[in-house]
Amino acid sequence: LVQLVESGGGSVQAGGSLRLSCVAYQYAGSPYCLGWFRQVPGEAREPFAQIDSMGKTTYYPTSVKGRFTITVTQEGARKTVYLDMNSLTPDDTAVYYCGATRPGSWCSPRTEIFPYWGRGTQVTVTS
């Protein structure tokens, strides 16, 4: 059973940095896609950073490109996807979720192709 466990959220002042981690247990096969999504109250969960089994990265909002970096490491069937966030602004405040596609799927902004999710981690950026 695939399980995603996030960590690393918290509160930080504007201009600061955070690193989020997500361990995907029992996640094997390729191609695959691991991604970070974020959600604010009253809005839909939106994709913003994804990485596939070939190492290709995709950032969807232009506001995060250059500030956020997604990377992945692998140890057997366990993969860890990181999100390094720099120059944070209050607009980055959200719950951040890690998502994974079923093996055999490439990345896509379509949230519905991600059946595996973590519980989310809160990131709060204060001005």
Side-chain angles (χ1 to χ4, degrees), residues 11-94:
S11 182
V12 64
Q13 287 190 328
S17 300
L18 279 176
R19 171 176 253 205
L20 305 183
S21 301
C22 172
V23 181
Y25 296 95
Q26 299 302 316
Y27 188 60
S30 65
Y32 67 80
C33 181
L34 289 164
W36 287 97
F37 301 71
R38 62 186 182 186
Q39 188 171 22
V40 297
E43 297 186 13
R45 191 173 301 181
E46 63 171 358
F48 70 93
Q50 296 176 353
I51 187 166
D52 67 25
S53 50
M54 299 297 291
K56 178 185 175 184
T57 59
T58 305
Y59 300 93
Y60 292 102
T62 57
S63 60
V64 304
K65 198 169 183 179
R67 296 192 298 124
F68 291 8
T69 303
I70 185 170
T71 55
V72 64
T73 61
Q74 180 173 342
E75 185 176 340
R78 187 176 77 177
K79 296 176 177 60
T80 303
V81 59
Y82 300 94
L83 185 69
D84 290 294
M85 305 187 292
N86 299 303
S87 302
L88 287 162
T89 74
D91 286 342
D92 296 316
T93 296

Side-chain angles (χ1 to χ4, degrees), residues 33-35 37 50 99-101 107-108 110-117:
C33 181
L34 289 164
F37 301 71
Q50 296 176 353
T101 61
C107 290
S108 166
R110 294 169 51 221
T111 308
E112 58 267 29
I113 72 165
F114 291 81
Y116 307 115
W117 294 97

